[in-house]
Amino acid sequence: QVQLVESGGGSVQAGGSLRLSCTTSKTVFIYNTLGWYRQAPGKQRELVGTMTPEGRTNFADSVKGRFTISRDNAKNTMYLQMNSLKPEDTAVYYCHTETIIGVFWGPGTQVTVSS
């Protein structure tokens, strides 16, 4: 079973920053693309960004230039740095990966941005 554990959510005013963390096992971290998704109330879950094991990143247009993804190989942890946050970034943020045994999600962490 693959476990993904998010942390770092919270409440912030518009224009502020937050950093989310996703920690998983070493095997998952080394061999699989990890991603961040988010789901706002009443909306479908959407992709925020991904990072391959080689460190290549990809972002949704809505967050390009504001969000970055990095990784700490020693801690098996991926980070989502969110800057210039907007009220429309309010959502539950989920860590995600696909492995040869299936698709896995973390429990999610709430991010609330007030205007």
Side-chain angles (χ1 to χ4, degrees):
Q1 187 73 357
V2 172
Q3 286 193 321
L4 302 165
V5 180
E6 306 102 336
S7 62
S11 297
V12 65
Q13 289 192 327
S17 298
L18 281 174
R19 189 179 76 162
L20 306 184
S21 301
C22 173
T23 301
T24 186
S25 69
K26 191 170 191 67
T27 300
V28 170
F29 192 77
I30 291 174
Y31 294 113
N32 298 281
T33 293
L34 295 171
W36 289 99
Y37 285 71
R38 66 186 182 186
Q39 188 166 18
K43 294 188 177 181
Q44 289 192 333
R45 194 170 295 190
E46 62 177 5
L47 175 70
V48 175
T50 60
M51 175 175 268
T52 68
E54 297 78 19
R56 292 190 300 271
T57 57
N58 180 57
F59 294 94
D61 288 343
S62 59
V63 305
K64 279 180 181 176
R66 299 188 298 123
F67 291 11
T68 59
I69 294 175
S70 61
R71 56 195 287 147
D72 185 332
N73 293 333
K75 296 181 179 179
N76 304 329
T77 298
M78 173 182 66
Y79 302 100
L80 178 67
Q81 179 67 43
M82 305 184 293
N83 298 327
S84 302
L85 281 161
K86 305 175 181 180
E88 51 263 44
D89 294 317
T90 294
V92 178
Y93 283 70
Y94 298 92
C95 188
H96 165 275
T97 193
E98 293 187 34
T99 73
I100 59 172
I101 62 172
V103 176
F104 297 91
W105 297 91
T109 185
Q110 176 70 46
V111 171
T112 302
V113 185
S114 58
S115 58

